[in-house]
Amino acid sequence: MTNQQSRSGDQEAGDDPARQEVDLVTLLERLLAQAPGKTQKDLASEADISYPTLNAWMNRTRGTSRIDPEKLRAMVEVFRRWGVRTTPREFFEAVGRPAPGPSGDEREARLLKLYRQLPEARQRALLKDAEAMLQVSRIT
């Protein structure tokens, strides 16, 4: 068996051990290195994150598993504005969470339209179901 065969036989499709070990600090260091002249302070300011919080993540003195998803998306957008290629999936995986599906304006508008047509009791039930689905997705 060749090296290529043993590697492909031991892993499921799409598995990449190097990517699985990337945490937020490693990801941010790599992306900042691709943005010459940009600093942690620049990232914090443009992503609307306090610099002490970002710095604590970078120094690993503050956990990253509970970062607001909007903050993760904001960092993605900042790097994209700086011309650095990255994806929300990279950020969510780096903090140990499954990446959320795409959320286009059209899809959100459709969901809101359906929600508004439901009786109040069904709206509350739908919110509870959505919150439960989110919790399950965070632990699986």
Side-chain angles (χ1 to χ4, degrees), residues 116-133:
R116 287 178 175 163
Q117 293 175 27
L118 294 171
E120 186 176 353
R122 295 285 183 166
Q123 289 176 348
R124 283 194 299 268
L126 181 58
L127 288 173
K128 283 185 178 184
D129 288 346
E131 289 168 347
M133 284 189 279

Side-chain angles (χ1 to χ4, degrees), residues 61-112:
T61 57
R62 185 175 195 169
T64 59
S65 64
R66 293 185 177 213
I67 297 174
D68 180 344
E70 292 307 314
K71 298 293 184 192
L72 296 173
R73 288 185 185 96
M75 288 189 283
V76 171
E77 291 308 313
V78 169
F79 281 111
R80 287 178 173 173
R81 282 196 306 270
W82 292 348
V84 177
R85 294 186 68 185
T86 188
T87 65
R89 177 173 302 281
E90 281 185 293
F91 275 79
F92 279 85
E93 288 176 353
V95 297
R97 289 195 228 155
S103 62
D105 291 340
E106 192 174 305
R107 184 183 288 178
E108 289 177 5
R110 182 173 166 218
L111 182 59
L112 183 58

Side-chain angles (χ1 to χ4, degrees), residues 23-36:
D23 66 356
L24 185 63
V25 174
T26 306
L27 176 63
L28 290 175
E29 287 173 345
R30 178 175 56 83
L31 296 175
L32 282 167
Q34 294 175 36

Side-chain angles (χ1 to χ4, degrees), residues 8 11 15 20 42-43 55 67 76 92 121 123 140:
S8 63
Q11 298 174 10
D15 282 353
Q20 291 174 355
D42 297 326
L43 176 61
N55 190 258
I67 297 174
V76 171
F92 279 85
Q123 289 176 348
T140 57

